[in-house]
Amino acid sequence: MRLASVALAAALLAAPFVVAPAWAASTASVAWAAVASDADMAQQFSRAKAENKPVLLYWGATWCPPCNQLKATLFNRADFIEQSKSFVAVGLDGDAPGAQKLGERFKVRGYPTLILFTPAGQEITRLPGEADAPQVVKLLQLGLAGGRPIKAVLTDAQANKKLSANEWRLLAFYSWETDYDQLINAKDKGAVLSRLAQAAEATAPEAALRLTLKALATEGTPLKPDAALLARVRAVLANPAQSRAMMDVLVNEAPDLVRNLTPDAGAARTALAADFEPALKRLEQDASLSRADRLGALRARVELARIDQPKTDVSAKLPAALQQEARDAAQRAHREITDGYERQAVVTEAAYLLTRANLWKDSDELLKSAIARSHSPYYLMSQLGSNARKQGHKAEALRWYEEAFNKSEGPATRLQWGAGYFSALVELAPEDAARIEKAASQLFSEAAGDPSAFYERSERSLKRVAEQLTAWNKDGSKAAVIGRLKTQLDGVCAKLDAAETKARAACGKLLKA
């Protein structure tokens, strides 16, 4: 992302690898360092030590809607640009040559991930990409103000040692969704968050409230839905200031909060969903929130309206007025947006909102009308494929998935989109062995030319293809196809650098059986 400038900065900024990424155009007043290898990162950490500044790492991709949301709402803010002078800012594009290998090193998986490091490389915190921009700026400021590594803070909290209010806030707003077992095992998240909430209550009640809500929204939450907890959530919904502060949790987790507080469908659940309605409407009309966040509040209302209907139901019953609200909001956003980054974030959110409102035709029309103006049209094409797939339109779904794969750009992106196309082929046209073999062979060929193919997201894409090939051949009838693909893959593995032991091992495990 960005670098501040001092004497040493001039020398480092002159180095070949320090170039402004394409997506940095709207924030040209901030210096960004694009990295693509361990050596690049070593130089940035050396710079951070020399300047005694933290490092902020941004991991993202051109097509990613939440990444584009950050570019449209956070990276171009004057206060964020000013803050960038206080840290060494590094951008890691998921399609850079060594990006997936670096992603594995830093345990980043989902796009976007924002990590603040000490100059020595210890994580101070992972910032929540789902929070709105002003909150992220405040959290970043807390981290910059002498923040301790988050692992040490969590250890002290679990040992009942005293924490400052700011440390509790960093724990509460830590990006637990992008932790990936860095601090805790995913299966333990609900229990850990609930214990932290209890410990924070006396010192940092706001942090305790957020931790409680996060714990309550976790699958298998240990929190019991008693009257006191229900009353506490209702009080948050009724309080405009508190519901605004907890916006991201209330919007993104509304269905889970309601289900976990009212485990059985019936009058109690209906009443709680009704209590969410005015709070979500306030957020939907809050001009201080981004368009994507306001659309998210409307989507939460739609999800609550269909909470007791099957999630995959393509014709769930919804109030006509709510459907019209969804249609009007999507059209208004599409009509008013002028920024390309915001368009990529909001149109995809609006199109998904329309599908949840069972407005499939409207969703398709919105996506098609936005393709020509998108810098990553293949993402919209894949959404069209998903729409068709969910409605049972197999040929149309495959056409869109194939076109999306053909238009996709960047090695990691192509493997991901190719794996998506391949998955659709195996599910929707399992009898088309020639087409399935051709798609798998193309992905293995592209992996051969990608130095990061057997790391992180790219490795998971290839594993997904291999697993589906194995399942497709479970009766042994496709053994000849599998044999040819395995021979091709063996050749790819053999050509990997002998020093890349991890990559060679990962490659060798694919189609091993």
Side-chain angles (χ1 to χ4, degrees), residues 16 20 26 34 123 152 202 211-213 280 363 382 427 439 454 483 496:
S26 67
E123 288 194 21
L211 288 163
T212 299
L213 292 174
L280 291 172
S363 179
S382 66
E427 177 191 333
F454 297 97
L496 290 171

Side-chain angles (χ1 to χ4, degrees), residues 3 27 57 93 96 99 112 130 179 184 213 218 223 260 286 289 301 325 381 433 436 444 464 479 485 495 498 502:
L3 300 160
T27 55
L57 174 68
D93 187 294
E130 72 274 11
D179 180 62
I184 57 174
L213 292 174
T218 303
L223 294 178
N260 290 339
D286 189 338
L289 290 172
R301 291 174 57 209
E325 281 189 65
M381 293 172 185
I436 288 171
F444 294 160
R464 180 180 167 197
L485 290 170
K495 292 179 180 178
K502 189 275 172 192

Side-chain angles (χ1 to χ4, degrees), residues 20 26 46 89 98 124 129-130 140 162 184 187 193 236 248 274 281 359 418 458 462 476 483-485:
S26 67
S46 293
I124 296 173
E130 72 274 11
L140 183 56
K162 186 176 181 180
I184 57 174
K187 63 182 178 62
L193 293 179
V236 174
D248 54 309
K281 278 188 173 181
L359 298 170
S458 293
L462 292 170
R484 289 191 293 271
L485 290 170

Side-chain angles (χ1 to χ4, degrees), residues 101-380:
K101 187 176 181 180
L102 278 173
E104 193 158 295
R105 169 185 166 184
F106 292 115
K107 300 296 186 291
V108 290
R109 180 173 299 172
Y111 300 139
T113 300
L114 286 165
I115 308 178
L116 187 65
F117 293 95
T118 68
Q122 296 174 298
E123 288 194 21
I124 296 173
T125 192
R126 295 192 176 205
L127 296 164
E130 72 274 11
D132 69 323
Q135 281 181 322
V136 175
V137 169
K138 291 177 183 176
L139 293 168
L140 183 56
Q141 188 59 48
L142 289 181
L144 292 172
R148 291 193 295 151
I150 192 70
K151 187 169 287 189
V153 174
L154 178 61
T155 298
D156 284 354
Q158 292 181 308
N160 295 319
K161 293 184 179 179
K162 186 176 181 180
L163 300 186
S164 69
N166 283 347
E167 287 177 327
W168 278 120
R169 184 170 174 78
L170 282 175
L171 277 176
F173 277 91
Y174 177 77
S175 182
W176 297 102
E177 287 70 24
T178 62
D179 180 62
Y180 305 123
D181 296 339
Q182 287 300 285
L183 296 184
I184 57 174
N185 291 327
K187 63 182 178 62
D188 299 327
K189 186 171 79 169
V192 171
L193 293 179
S194 62
R195 288 197 298 270
L196 291 176
Q198 289 180 328
E201 195 67 58
T203 308
E206 182 189 10
L209 176 59
R210 182 177 176 85
L211 288 163
T212 299
L213 292 174
K214 297 291 279 188
L216 182 58
T218 303
E219 184 178 359
T221 178
L223 294 178
K224 304 301 180 185
D226 56 22
L229 186 56
L230 192 59
R232 189 173 188 186
V233 172
R234 282 197 160 106
V236 174
L237 295 172
N239 185 313
Q242 283 194 330
S243 56
R244 174 63 176 83
M246 305 295 162
M247 175 276 302
D248 54 309
V249 186
L250 296 179
V251 167
N252 296 326
E253 314 293 352
D256 290 328
L257 289 168
V258 170
R259 288 192 189 95
N260 290 339
L261 280 165
T262 54
D264 300 315
R269 177 174 289 180
T270 300
L272 181 58
D275 288 337
F276 267 79
E277 181 77 357
L280 291 172
K281 278 188 173 181
R282 279 198 310 272
L283 295 172
E284 190 183 336
Q285 296 162 7
D286 189 338
S288 71
L289 290 172
S290 68
R291 283 189 181 90
D293 288 333
R294 298 199 300 272
L295 278 176
L298 176 54
R299 175 173 48 79
R301 291 174 57 209
V302 170
E303 296 292 358
L304 290 177
R306 55 181 295 166
I307 191 168
D308 290 324
Q309 302 181 57
K311 187 172 183 179
T312 56
D313 190 347
V314 297
S315 57
K317 295 180 176 61
L318 288 169
L322 184 57
Q323 288 182 305
Q324 189 59 46
E325 281 189 65
R327 182 183 286 115
D328 291 344
Q331 291 175 348
R332 183 168 57 251
H334 184 44
R335 184 174 61 249
E336 294 176 353
I337 294 171
T338 57
D339 179 84
Y341 297 134
E342 185 182 17
R343 181 174 300 282
Q344 186 72 8
V346 173
V347 166
T348 52
E349 168 72 23
Y352 181 66
L353 163 67
L354 290 169
T355 65
R356 300 306 291 157
N358 293 322
L359 298 170
W360 296 92
K361 182 180 178 182
D362 295 82
S363 179
D364 287 349
E365 289 176 351
L366 174 63
L367 290 167
K368 290 174 185 177
S369 68
I371 283 176
R373 301 170 69 180
S374 172
H375 57 63
S376 305
Y378 47 88
Y379 190 96
L380 309 184

